[in-house]
Amino acid sequence: MSKQRTQVAIIGAGPAGLMLARLLTLAKIDVVVLERQSRAYVLGRIRAGLLESGTTDLLREVGCGARLDAEGLVHDSASLNFNGESLEINYLDLVGKSVTIYGQTEVTRDLMEANDASGIACHYEAPVTAIDGLDGARVRLTYLTHGQQHTLDCDYVAGCDGFHGVGRAAIPASVLKTYERIYPFGWLGILADVPPCGHELIYANHPDGFALATMRSNTRTRAYIQVPADARIEDWPDDRFWAEYKHRLGPVSKGVTTGPSIEKSVAPLRSFVAEPMRFGRLFLAGDAAHIVPPTGAKGLNLAASDVRYLSRALIAFYASGDAGLIDTYSETCLKRIWKATRFSWWMTTLLHKFPDPDGFGTAMQRAEFEYLKSSRTAQVSLAENYVGLPI
Ligand code: RFL
Ligand code: PHB
């Protein structure tokens, strides 16, 4: 028999929901996680790969650092490539911080295993279909399992249910303000069991479009190219992908090893922010509240910082009855989110090919690149945002 009452109900078992469950459980707050998809589906989603130090610190704090420290690849620099010309941004040297390559699939697996070991109630294939009582004394969630309807009562609900979830939709339209920019392209990404083309990530701006060389390990490559938003995977067999990718990387593509893809997907690019992130007893966290284009590698990292703030607020409330941090949750998160939104938009604007009838946008990209090459101050600004602003 599933529990019918908990302190905090968490919708979604992505990185935000799983991490929040972990943080609250460690503080002895009772939680139930409800996830629409199967566990295997959630584990199989290939997405983010780059973790800021604030995110790796958080994983270690919640007891999920062992595999990260053994298998994560620490990176001190990345390369920006403009039509074949390279600029190395050594962020360790510029701002004293590194980032870690460790796949979202691995983060998810580590959190799931730790949560299982703590006996956290996490129901898969259990979509939440209704949220009632947000402005009352107690919230009631309705969810389904095997076609059966159940209810779960809670003090608070965390909408960690991604961009297409039910959490944000439960906030009245008269309260919610959204901001959106849809970019006129997407990213086609592939995963292949071939060694990466070097030890650094390479972000390439090419007249034919953006390309990114990244990795999951020393034997697994992740590669992306900019494609039209309506591109179809069937039109991109592996040979065509690799040829275009190498063409866009230019001279550095000498080091590219090609091989059969084990995953291939197209992701649209958008910037989106919803305000406020709290309505009554509901909090939004992660992609449920905001989406950034992946160029700045901020999505998963923002999900982690949101739930860090949210856990602090709920822990303070249950410890002392003080709702101060609950009341400032939305404002505190949004300050950091808007800065990451700006950075992700800026990186996207700098590196992609946009419709540009008079060439002005392309000239601005070139000027920005020349400025970055000539100014350590500009490089410091890029680096401090890339490694993650302080939490
Ligand atoms: P998720 O991961 O989307 O999880 C939300 C979960 O909620 C479930 N759900 C429901 N459950 C129950 N009832 C309902 N009614 C529900 N509705 C939805 C969903 O099934 C899902 O399991 O959101 P979360 O936890 O906020 O995590 C966000 C991250 O997944 C996302 O921001 C990143 O993947 C973005 N991202 C990157 N972020 C980084 O920090 N670094 C990167 O290098 C990076 N690279 C990327 C990326 C995203 C990409 N794509 C595919 C958009 C690269 C790509 C290509
Ligand atoms: C990734 O490894 O998937 C990745 C890395 C950096 C980005 C985006 C994606 O900016």
Side-chain angles (χ1 to χ4, degrees):
M1 180 73 189
S2 315
K3 267 197 269 194
Q4 291 178 317
R5 155 108 198 103
T6 188
Q7 287 176 301
V8 179
I10 298 173
I11 313 177
L18 292 169
M19 175 60 89
L20 181 65
R22 183 104 215 101
L23 286 160
L24 296 181
T25 302
L26 290 172
K28 309 230 174 324
I29 296 169
D30 190 57
V31 304
V32 172
V33 182
L34 299 170
E35 165 60 49
R36 178 172 60 184
Q37 303 287 358
S38 70
R39 187 184 169 108
Y41 181 94
V42 174
L43 270 173
R45 272 191 310 226
I46 309 293
R47 286 185 172 177
L50 187 146
L51 307 182
E52 297 173 354
S53 56
T55 307
T56 48
D57 289 347
L58 188 59
L59 283 163
R60 288 187 194 102
E61 262 171 64
V62 301
C64 291
R67 215 157 59 89
L68 167 74
D69 287 330
E71 296 173 20
L73 302 176
V74 176
H75 283 216
D76 301 338
S77 62
S79 176
L80 293 189
N81 190 318
F82 258 67
N83 207 4
E85 187 185 350
S86 285
L87 169 65
E88 187 181 75
I89 303 290
N90 187 316
Y91 28 87
L92 182 63
D93 174 41
L94 290 161
V95 295
K97 282 191 185 164
S98 306
V99 297
T100 304
I101 289 288
Y102 190 65
Q104 180 164 334
T105 43
E106 311 313 306
V107 172
T108 306
R109 180 180 298 281
D110 293 346
L111 287 168
M112 276 181 181
E113 285 176 4
N115 286 350
D116 287 350
S118 309
I120 294 177
C122 185
H123 303 293
Y124 290 91
E125 299 178 73
V128 172
T129 53
I131 308 176
D132 295 298
L134 282 179
D135 43 9
R138 177 156 303 178
V139 190
R140 170 160 291 184
L141 299 186
T142 307
Y143 67 99
L144 300 174
T145 54
H146 307 292
Q148 295 265 348
Q149 195 164 295
H150 308 266
T151 59
L152 174 67
D153 291 343
C154 56
D155 303 333
Y156 289 105
V157 54
C160 301
D161 49 351
F163 185 65
H164 301 287
V166 288
R168 193 175 68 251
I171 302 181
S174 57
V175 174
L176 196 72
K177 167 119 182 79
T178 60
Y179 302 82
E180 186 166 49
R181 166 72 48 98
I182 297 188
Y183 301 90
F185 42 73
W187 279 17
L188 173 62
I190 72 167
L191 201 61
D193 277 329
V194 291
C197 70
H199 66 281
E200 282 182 340
L201 268 62
I202 303 166
Y203 293 83
N205 175 323
H206 184 276
D208 292 335
F210 170 77
L212 169 59
T214 174
M215 64 201 73
R216 286 295 172 273
S217 71
N218 288 325
T219 56
R220 185 167 278 187
T221 289
R222 180 79 167 146
Y224 298 100
I225 55 170
Q226 173 184 352
V227 290
D230 58 359
R232 296 176 333 154
I233 289 175
E234 311 83 89
D235 295 335
W236 285 94
D238 292 354
D239 288 352
R240 181 179 177 207
F241 178 91
W242 287 119
E244 186 63 25
Y245 173 72
K246 286 167 80 168
H247 166 66
R248 294 188 193 177
L249 287 181
V252 289
S253 70
K254 285 194 301 292
V256 171
T257 311
T258 63
S261 62
I262 53 173
E263 196 265 353
K264 195 182 277 170
S265 51
V266 178
L269 262 66
R270 80 168 85 217
S271 298
F272 174 89
V273 180
E275 295 184 344
M277 289 170 61
R278 174 196 169 203
F279 175 72
R281 294 180 174 274
L282 167 73
F283 303 93
L284 302 180
D287 280 13
H290 42 76
I291 296 285
V292 284
T295 328
K298 292 284 167 258
L300 170 57
N301 293 298
L302 281 178
S305 56
D306 287 355
V307 298
R308 188 192 272 274
Y309 290 130
L310 181 54
S311 65
R312 276 185 199 162
L314 290 167
I315 292 167
F317 172 76
Y318 283 111
S320 66
D322 180 354
L325 293 177
I326 285 183
D327 292 336
T328 54
Y329 167 73
S330 176
E331 194 188 324
T332 309
C333 284
L334 284 164
K335 273 193 195 142
R336 193 166 188 279
I337 289 160
W338 275 116
K339 288 180 195 157
T341 302
R342 182 205 69 84
F343 176 68
S344 304
W345 160 83
W346 177 80
M347 281 280 278
T348 304
T349 308
L350 175 67
L351 294 168
H352 290 75
K353 180 177 165 66
F354 283 79
D356 187 23
D358 62 1
F360 183 78
T362 310
M364 287 297 100
Q365 290 180 333
R366 170 49 68 177
E368 190 87 49
F369 183 64
E370 292 299 328
Y371 174 52
L372 273 168
K373 274 191 345 195
S374 67
S375 163
R376 185 177 164 92
T377 311
Q379 292 178 21
V380 166
S381 166
L382 191 165
E384 77 170 340
N385 283 280
Y386 189 79
V387 301
L389 294 173
I391 294 185

